[in-house]
Amino acid sequence: MTFFESLLVLLAIAIGLLQISRRLSIPYPTMLAAAGVLLALVPGAPEIGLDPHMALALFIAPAIVDAAFDFPLVAARRYWRPLFALAVVAVLLSASAVAWLGVVMAGLPVFAALALGAIVAPPDAAAATAVLGSVNMPRRSVTVLKGESLLNDATALLLFSAAVALQSRNSGGGDLMLRLGLAAPGGILLGVALAWAFRYITPIVTGTRGANLMEFVTCFGLWIVAEKLGLSAVLCVVAFAMTIAYSANLSTPPRMRIHSFAVWDAVVFCLNVFAFLLMGFQARAIVSGMTPDRLHAAVGFAVAVVVCLIGVRMVWLLIYNRLAHRFRSARGDLEPATLGQGILVGWCGMRGLVTLATAFSLPLTFPDRDLIVLTAFAVVLATLVIQGLSLPSLVRWLKLDGDNGLDKEMAEVRADLAATALKTLKAHEGPAADFWRYEFETSRTAALTPDDTALEDQRALGRHALRAQRERLEILRREERVGADAYLILQEELDFAEVSITRESDRRIEES
């Protein structure tokens, strides 16, 4: 099979797996990991190579930009203490423990053991939130997990860069420490500076076909520039995306934002598909090249690493949970998390895209690369299966599955926004003002009384009328009384109108 044909097969498999995961309530990252293993066992399965140098930029940069755009600066400031405990301390402890295991148990050189520790240390919150899609997880825990996934990548990749630099011996110890010390602040400053500069470019491409393409060019370009300068590429793209998002609500046209979100969701999903399935193919090549004794030892070592990672994270999270209860300085102004929340966050240690991409990026000549890559894939597979499949049950067992307050918060904000709009219209008279007063008054009433039967009847009647409009639009298209361009614009307007009268709970059901 050609490379293009292989990619088509992989995408077709992923689409099928996604439908299965929806119907069986199994998180799709777990299905993808299992599919990677199964495809690796298929005789004659395609062998797809990947340039190690491009792996990080290709897989990690878009995923981080997508996540950082949705993570507000105010949350980073509010939760910086638990984020530091997870994204820095937990990663360093996990990497150190795995590195020690690598030296003692597998006989790896120190730099190779450190590289392995850096690869498997950062959990992937995207995997956790995908797993928890079927339950209502405490929103504070979700926020902390999302913030952790942004910042722990930077810690892990700095460690990884140090290990690779030590292996290549291209810098002395003092020079290496200086570069690592400047990498984090330099990456943040570069990302913020480029974000402010990008604001002057955005209006030029907004509303054109190059707008979404420009976003991806910028994403990959930022990563490459930061790497060339020896700065933290992760923190650079995180700082860039969060700075852009800070003002995007007012500066970005709504239609462009809707299109952009749809494109980024699809791209990040495709990257997850490729990463999991490509890792399966690499694992097959590695296993086939190992002797039975070597394979047996590698499996035992991988099991030890999995147990070590789960244990270190759980122990540290429980310690921090107790410290935060006892000492206010450990939690700031936040209410102390319950023991159940600490256990839940500790168990949300699934590894995913970052671990796979970092393993891909190991130079082909790196010592014991086969063992490191195989161990990384085993960690991803084991944590997604063991922790991923048990996480929803753990949420229910800890009695954390319930109303997470999202619907109440949205209702309060919607009522506030509607009241603001009504206040703005007070000085205006006429049919147009009356129309919008009715619209916003209806929205305010719906937000304050979401369970009102009359409002439910209103939504149902609105959907019925919109359905009739869609059917009429189709008739007009068949009769060639509406052109293709007008059809698409009118269809989008009907979509926006239907979304505006759909309850959030119904919307989540439709998307699941």
Side-chain angles (χ1 to χ4, degrees):
M1 297 176 70
T2 65
F3 179 75
F4 180 68
E5 291 170 343
S6 301
L7 291 183
L8 287 180
V9 171
L10 295 182
L11 281 176
I13 293 171
I15 293 170
L17 291 175
L18 184 60
Q19 306 314 309
I20 295 173
S21 68
R22 292 175 62 189
R23 283 158 177 75
L24 299 181
S25 298
I26 297 175
Y28 80 82
T30 304
M31 295 290 290
L32 291 178
V37 174
L38 294 176
L39 286 177
L41 301 176
V42 175
E47 292 189 8
I48 303 175
L50 183 67
D51 179 10
H53 184 69
M54 67 174 289
L56 290 178
L58 176 62
F59 290 113
I60 297 183
I64 288 180
V65 169
D66 184 54
F69 199 86
D70 297 332
F71 193 77
L73 283 170
V74 64
R77 290 195 295 265
R78 183 182 184 190
Y79 295 104
W80 75 266
R81 289 177 177 86
L83 288 177
F84 181 82
L86 285 168
V88 178
V89 179
V91 168
L92 293 177
L93 290 175
S94 299
S96 300
V98 171
W100 178 81
L101 267 182
V103 173
V104 173
M105 187 173 178
L108 296 175
V110 174
F111 60 82
L114 181 61
L116 173 60
I119 289 171
V120 299
D124 185 359
T129 52
V131 168
L132 290 163
S134 59
V135 295
N136 284 325
M137 186 174 176
R139 292 175 59 211
R140 170 176 170 174
S141 301
V142 173
T143 301
V144 170
L145 285 171
K146 288 182 177 179
E148 176 196 8
S149 72
L150 292 176
L151 303 177
N152 64 11
D153 298 344
T155 305
L157 289 178
L158 285 175
L159 280 176
F160 179 76
S161 299
V164 174
L166 286 173
Q167 184 267 336
S168 61
R169 299 289 195 274
N170 59 3
S171 61
D175 181 47
L176 178 60
M177 293 302 296
L178 178 62
R179 285 196 300 152
L180 293 178
L182 295 175
I188 294 173
L189 290 176
L190 178 63
V192 173
L194 292 177
W196 283 102
F198 188 75
R199 295 176 64 185
Y200 295 99
I201 303 174
T202 301
I204 301 174
V205 298
T206 295
T208 68
R209 291 174 178 170
N212 289 138
L213 184 59
M214 183 66 182
E215 293 174 358
F216 286 98
V217 170
T218 305
C219 166
F220 293 121
L222 282 173
W223 187 281
I224 294 172
V225 169
E227 278 197 332
K228 296 291 185 183
L229 296 176
L231 304 177
S232 172
V234 172
L235 290 178
C236 179
V237 297
V238 167
F240 175 85
M242 293 179 73
T243 304
I244 289 292
Y246 188 74
S247 59
N249 185 45
L250 298 177
S251 61
T252 305
R255 182 174 296 181
M256 179 181 173
R257 183 163 45 246
I258 291 173
H259 290 174
S260 179
F261 283 178
V263 170
W264 278 88
D265 283 345
V267 169
V268 171
F269 174 72
C270 287
L271 290 176
N272 272 276
V273 170
F274 294 151
F276 278 103
L277 300 184
L278 289 175
M279 180 59 86
F281 295 143
Q282 283 210 3
R284 180 187 61 179
I286 292 171
V287 169
S288 62
M290 284 185 171
T291 63
D293 291 341
R294 173 73 168 164
L295 180 59
H296 185 269
V299 171
F301 176 64
V303 171
V305 170
V306 171
V307 173
C308 174
L309 287 170
I310 294 175
V312 168
R313 181 178 173 87
M314 285 297 300
V315 170
W316 166 241
L317 261 294
L318 292 178
I319 291 174
Y320 174 74
N321 181 272
R322 295 299 92 192
L323 289 175
H325 263 270
R326 186 174 181 84
F327 303 104
R328 187 179 184 86
S329 59
R331 68 174 190 273
D333 297 330
L334 299 172
E335 288 294 322
T338 64
L339 180 61
Q341 289 174 333
I343 294 173
L344 180 60
V345 173
W347 195 247
C348 289
M350 289 82 75
R351 273 62 180 178
L353 184 61
V354 174
T355 293
L356 296 179
T358 312
F360 282 143
S361 69
L362 268 177
L364 296 176
T365 58
F366 198 83
D368 293 294
R369 184 183 190 273
D370 287 355
L371 176 62
I372 294 174
V373 172
L374 187 62
T375 303
F377 184 54
V379 167
V380 172
L381 178 64
T383 54
L384 283 175
V385 171
I386 296 173
Q387 293 178 292
L389 294 181
S390 62
L391 199 52
S393 298
L394 178 65
V395 174
R396 299 184 183 97
W397 180 71
L398 293 172
K399 298 181 179 179
L400 296 175
D401 181 25
D403 184 12
N404 58 11
L406 180 61
D407 290 334
K408 180 181 178 182
E409 179 181 345
M410 287 195 304
E412 292 174 353
V413 175
R414 282 170 177 160
D416 187 285
L417 295 178
T420 300
L422 288 169
K423 184 178 179 181
T424 304
L425 294 172
K426 273 188 176 181
H428 298 270
E429 299 295 339
D434 293 340
F435 169 80
W436 284 111
R437 260 192 288 269
Y438 173 78
E439 287 284 314
F440 290 122
E441 184 60 45
T442 302
S443 298
R444 190 173 73 89
T445 305
L448 295 174
T449 56
D451 297 326
D452 186 71
T453 304
L455 291 173
E456 287 301 314
D457 294 340
Q458 185 184 53
R459 291 191 181 101
L461 185 59
R463 288 193 294 269
H464 179 68
L466 288 170
R467 177 69 180 181
Q469 285 185 302
R470 291 184 189 280
E471 293 173 353
R472 179 59 181 169
L473 184 60
E474 291 299 323
I475 293 174
L476 294 175
R477 182 171 68 162
R478 287 196 297 269
E479 294 176 352
E480 298 184 357
R481 294 170 60 186
V482 59
D485 293 338
Y487 173 84
L488 292 176
I489 293 173
L490 293 169
Q491 183 185 58
E492 187 178 52
E493 290 176 357
L494 292 176
D495 290 340
F496 290 157
E498 186 164 353
V499 167
S500 69
I501 63 172
T502 302
R503 292 186 306 170
E504 184 63 25
S505 57
D506 295 334
R507 194 174 303 153
R508 289 200 295 266
I509 291 172
E510 292 171 0
E511 294 173 351
S512 64

